[in-house]
Structure formats: C-alpha cells, structure tokens
Amino acid sequence: MAKKYVAAIDQGTTSTRCMIFDREGNPISSSQMEHEQIYPHPGWVEHDPMEIWSRTQDVIRGALEKGNVDPNDIAAIGITNQRETTVVWDKNTGKPVYNAIVWQCMRTQDFCLEWEKEPGANEKVNQKTGLVISTYFSGPKIKWILDNVPGARERAQKGELLFGNIDTWVIWNLTGGPNGGVHVTDVSNASRTMLMNIKTLQWDEEMLNFLGIPKSMLPEIKPSSHIYGYTVPNGPFRASIPISGDLGDQQAAVFGQVCFNVGEAKNTYGTGNFMLLNIGKTPSLSKSGLLTTVAYGLKEGEAVYALEGSMAITGAAIQWLRDNLRLFDDAADSEWFASKVKDTGGIYFVPAFSGLFAPYWDMRARGCIVGLTRYIRKEHLIRATLECICYQTLDVQRAMEADSGVPLTELKVDGGAVRNNLLMQLQADLLGVPVVRPKVNETTALGAAYAAGLATGFWTSLDELKQNWKVDKRFEPTMSKETRDEMYRGWKKAIERAKGWID
Ligand code: ADP
C-alpha cells in the first residue's frame, strides 16, 4: 500500500518539533518541546546535546501518538536544524565531550578579532567559504573545544571524536549511534561551518589546517535530498524508515516556501531574522555585507546558492521586552501595545545584543535606544522594537538589491513573529513592496519534509511542490516614499551610535 506521510524533525534554537505532513503538505500532527538555554558567562550560550536527543525522541513519539500515525505509513524523514551550533562527541560511547556551542555564542570573539586583523584574512575566508570572519560559524567553535577541553585534541587526532552540527548529531543517533550510526551532513549545513569550499562543495584543507581541525572528525557531505540511512527499529520511530532530507533551518524555509527560481526570496521571523535570495547555480560573492551560502543541493556535486542576510536579534528583542523588562506577558501582546501609539515618538532601538550581523558585521557593536525624551512611554518602545525588525530587513533588502541589481517585487515571510499583523504591515510599508504570508507557516519543517519526500519518490518534482503553496494574507504597502525615507534616515543614524561600542 502507498505510504501516506512524511515526517520532519525541526531541531531549533529554543525547541524541537516533530511534524507529520500529508501529500498536499498539510500538517496532520505535531509535537514540540523546549530545551534549556545554558548561559555560563555573559555572551556564552550552550545546549546539552543529550537533552536535545532526548527531546527529539519525545517529540517523535508525541507526534506519532497525537496523530495516531502508524510508523509504517511514513515514507521518509527530513531533518532541519539550528545551524552552526557545534557538537563534538566520542564515536565509541556516543557521549559529547562538551556542551553544544550555540550559534549565538560569542566565546570565540577574541580569536576572531585577532584573525580579522590579519591582512587579507576576511577576503580569503569570504572567497573560500562565502562567509565572513565571525563568532557565528562552526569552525572557530570546534577549535575552541579542541583547545579547551582537556585531552580533546589528542583524542580527535587519534580519530576517536566526531564533529557535527545538530543535523549530524540527530541523524547519527537515529541511525544507531555508536552501533553503526551514519556520520553525514548536507551541503547547506556544511556551508555554514566555515570549513567547506563553496565552489567545490568539499572540505577545505587550508581552512582545516588553519583552525587545526583533523579531517577524520568531519561528516561526509551529501546532497540535501538523498537517502543517508535508515532509522533503527528499536528507536523512537519503531520502524526502519529512510532519513532522506537534511537542510539547515533557513535553507529548509527557502525550500518550504518553494523559492526554486532565481530572484525569489523569503524572510523568516524567529529569534533572529534570516532573509535568503535564490541566486541560482553560481556562488557570486556579496559586495554589500551578505553571505553566500548553499540554499540546497539536489544532486551530488551540485548546488543552488543564496545570498543571505542574517539578523541576530529580532524576535529575541521582543522576548527581551517580555522577560527582562517585563513590559508584557506574551510576545503576541506587543501588537496591541504598539497599536496604541501612532509612531515611536522619535526613538529608535538597535538591538545589537551580540554585535551587528548583516550587512554590518560589527562584533564590537552593542544595543542602544536613541532619541529618548520624557514623552516616551512603554508603548513607544514596543513599537520601536517592532520597527527595528523591519529596518534590519530593509538594510538586508537594500544590500540584496545592490548585489543582484534586481529589485524585490514581493517578500514571502514565515516564522513565529509573522502572526503579528501590525509587524507585517509595518514591514510592507517600510519595504515598499507587498509582504505575503503563506497558509502553512511551518515552512522550515515542511521544507525538510519536501526534501525527504523527493528523495524517495513520495513527491516527484519541484513543480508538484509548488502546487501546494497557498497564500494566507497579503499586506500591501500604504506609506509614502517620503515618510519611509525619512524614517529610514533616523535608523541609519541610530546604527552609527551602536557600532564599535566595545573598545
Ligand atoms: P525560533 O524558531 O527561532 O525559536 P519561532 O519561529 O518559534 O522562533 O518564533 C518565536 C519568536 O517570535 C520569539 O522570539 C518571539 O518573541 C517572537 N514572536 C512570537 N509571536 C510574536 C508576535 N505575535 N509578535 C511579535 N513577536 C512574536
């Protein structure tokens, strides 16, 4: 009998989710659990990889149970994950040698600042990997573990340790762990390590030597849609099912939003914002502060590339208002408060909590609120926070237009914060183009499911996937160009205040 479903595991920064989709791409069951955020020092962020594996198993069982799904009806499994987050573990015991170092973690700042000073270093990194020198990527995080965990370097050199981003860690465990687990990653995740050559799609010897990372630790690089291995029947799926999709979360959203053509873009509004523009099969480098990254690869040795604007703090700024300033209890209330004022009263909030990412890449920047007068109330600050998400997106959009020469005609959006209608309207107004929200907002999980289903013939073509995409709501711009330009001018001034704060 034909199988009915595809499952996706979305292992994110704050939570892990398992979703099961039918052939039309409708979610039929979902289970989600949070995991602990570990902050050992200011600016450091870790996760416990064993907790992540345990939550992964819980949500798989939860999704099967909630939807009353027979595992034998699942045709394929896709994995998508928080990118760059780094795990190093012992291949014989399956035990991590250290906590996972999360993408936001800034512990490698001193090393990166020194490295950046070397003449030509940033250009070289950019040309080889499409990235820039930043604490954000995996390479320096692996180096930190090898330098700081007693005995790690020796064990790595003896071939006892494995590295993986979270996709690799989850696939290795689902396929048997120390008993035959498959050690793989896909091109989209590998493009975020700072260790893969963006043109050859192979690990780059020079980057590995420079960072002192033994090649034996690294997973094999495979296409994003490919049968990597099978789940073990004594695992949470209770069946042998092909794992056949693997994409970094932002690239999975590109896939789930069916941005398969050159010039199509999506922006995801989560903890951070990530805007990706499909640029086709040539990895052109950015002149405007964007990253060049692999969007997805469907065949061995081939890739479709994207320009990426990564914004570290967007939804996280809303969380900060909620948790640190206690301005409201629920992120969704930000919409109500912001709607109580007609503007921000002239203030700007630059949430450069972990430096500024695209297009500025300033590790020394820190957050600021400027333009304060006694008139300002909490509603103004909340509105300024929504606006700062839009301005960051506008910065990235302008960089994308400068690089590609192609004006954006509309923006597909997804992620937790797009439920905020005021935010979406502000975004359309500030961009001056329509913002389009799809019916299935869980595009990250959907993209991983699509990649998995394509590899096993559950879906047969990209065109078939395009048929599944449906509009929920379209936000049309209504603001005049003069108002928009005037507001944006203030933002650019505020950015200058945030830059270079740390000596
Ligand atoms: P992630 O996958 O990065 O964990 P999600 O896509 O689940 O994030 O989105 C959650 C983020 O969106 C949080 O940072 C939260 O503050 C923000 N958020 C959620 N709902 C709203 C809302 N209605 N308005 C503004 N921000 C929101």
Side-chain angles (χ1 to χ4, degrees), residues 220-289:
E220 212 177 324
I221 302 174
K222 295 283 182 190
S224 316
S225 176
H226 174 92
I227 299 180
Y228 312 106
Y230 292 81
T231 55
V232 286
N234 61 355
F237 277 106
R238 306 191 313 272
S240 174
I241 307 171
I243 303 179
S244 51
D246 179 6
L247 286 156
D249 52 9
Q250 300 310 322
Q251 286 92 335
V254 169
F255 217 75
Q257 290 270 31
V258 297
C259 295
F260 301 137
N261 297 324
V262 175
E264 290 184 322
K266 71 88 202 177
N267 195 13
T268 300
Y269 296 69
T271 307
N273 263 33
F274 298 88
M275 186 159 157
L276 276 80
L277 171 74
N278 183 325
I279 56 167
K281 294 197 170 154
T282 312
S284 319
L285 296 178
S286 170
K287 294 186 181 67
S288 317

Side-chain angles (χ1 to χ4, degrees), residues 333-345:
D333 296 338
S334 60
E335 182 168 1
W336 186 84
F337 283 111
S339 72
K340 295 293 145 203
V341 286
K342 65 177 193 323
D343 56 30
T344 67

Side-chain angles (χ1 to χ4, degrees), residues 8 78 208 264 402 419 456 464:
L208 293 178
E264 290 184 322
R419 286 186 292 266
T456 64
E464 187 184 353

Side-chain angles (χ1 to χ4, degrees), residues 13-14 269-272 315-316 318-319 331-332 334 386 415-417 419-420 423:
T13 308
T14 53
Y269 296 69
T271 307
I318 300 284
Q319 282 169 2
S334 60
L386 294 184
R419 286 186 292 266
N420 188 320
L423 174 66

